Amino acid sequence: MSVKVVIGAMVALPVLTLVATVGSGSSLLGLPISDTSSGGSKGSGVVLASDRRMPDQFGTLISKWGNECPALSPQILAAQLYQESGFNPKAQSPASAQGIGQFIPATWASHGIDGNGDGKRDVWDPEDAIPSAAKYDCSVWRDVRSVSGDATRNMLAAFNAGPGAVKKYGGIPPYQETRNYVQIIMSAAPSFKMSSG
C-alpha cells in the first residue's frame, strides 16, 4: 500500500514540488533505494539503515556540518538534503531553488558561504551548499529557540514556513505543508545513520 504526500514550495527555501510515494521499494522522493537483502548493494555510496543510500562524497560534509547547532544532527541534515534534492547537486525547481540544498537566489545571496575555502560561494558545489544549509538551519533555529516545544521540529517548521510563523503559533504552525515537511524529515532522519557495509 502506498501513501502519497505532496510537498510544495517553502517560504524560506523552496523545496522541489514533489509527489512522493512512500511504500515498499521506494524512497520518500520515489527514488529507488538499494537492495541489500542478498548481502550486496546496488551502486556506490555509504550504506545507511533501512537501505537508504547517500553518495560517499557527502558523508564527511554532512557528518562535519550536521552538528552546527543543538537542534541539528547529521541525520536531520541528511534527511533534509534528501528531501530537498535527493542529494542531487544539480537539482533545480520550478521556483528557482538550486542545488543540493535547494536555495532560492535571494536566500543564497544572504546565507551562502564559501564552505571549502576556494574563494567562491557556489550554490551548485556541495562543499559550499551543505555547510550553507547547516548554517541556515541553525540561523532559523536561533530565531525560534525561545519558542517552547521540540527545538528540531521548530527549526524545521521555521525552515519551511519562516520563523515568524513558528513564533506566531508558539511552535509548528497549522499549515499542512509545514506539518508534512516536519514529519517527513523527522521520520526519515533515523534511517540516515551511517553504517558499515
Side-chain angles (χ1 to χ4, degrees):
M1 179 177 206
S2 294
V3 178
K4 292 197 184 255
V5 181
V6 178
I7 303 295
M10 297 184 306
V11 173
L13 290 175
V15 67
L16 296 168
T17 301
L18 305 170
V19 176
T21 302
V22 180
S24 177
S26 66
S27 67
L28 290 173
L29 292 175
L31 300 172
I33 55 178
S34 66
D35 177 9
T36 57
S37 58
S38 61
S41 62
K42 297 178 183 175
S44 64
V46 176
V47 177
L48 303 168
S50 301
D51 291 340
R52 292 183 197 248
R53 299 189 64 78
M54 177 174 51
D56 287 331
Q57 71 266 30
F58 306 139
T60 300
L61 286 167
I62 290 169
S63 293
K64 176 182 177 181
W65 291 95
N67 294 301
E68 185 68 14
C69 63
L72 190 61
S73 70
Q75 293 78 23
I76 292 291
L77 182 58
Q80 197 173 24
L81 293 169
Y82 180 71
Q83 178 65 22
E84 294 296 324
S85 66
F87 297 122
N88 179 359
K90 302 296 181 196
Q92 183 152 4
S93 79
S96 298
Q98 301 172 328
I100 195 168
Q102 287 295 281
F103 283 93
I104 59 171
T107 304
W108 181 258
S110 59
H111 293 281
I113 67 167
D114 177 13
N116 61 6
D118 68 356
K120 297 181 285 188
R121 296 180 318 135
D122 184 357
V123 72
W124 303 108
D125 185 346
E127 291 182 3
D128 292 342
I130 291 172
S132 296
K135 289 212 171 266
Y136 185 76
D137 277 339
C138 293
S139 173
V140 297
W141 165 73
R142 281 189 293 280
D143 282 349
V144 299
R145 68 179 164 197
S146 64
V147 176
S148 64
D150 183 84
T152 300
R153 289 175 183 272
N154 285 342
M155 175 192 71
L156 292 169
F159 176 93
N160 182 266
V166 173
K167 290 176 187 176
K168 176 180 177 181
Y169 290 101
I172 300 170
Y175 311 146
Q176 194 59 49
E177 175 188 323
T178 301
R179 290 176 182 230
N180 286 344
Y181 183 80
V182 171
Q183 185 58 43
I184 287 168
I185 302 301
M186 295 299 291
S187 295
S191 70
F192 285 99
K193 291 180 180 174
M194 285 186 238
S195 60
S196 59

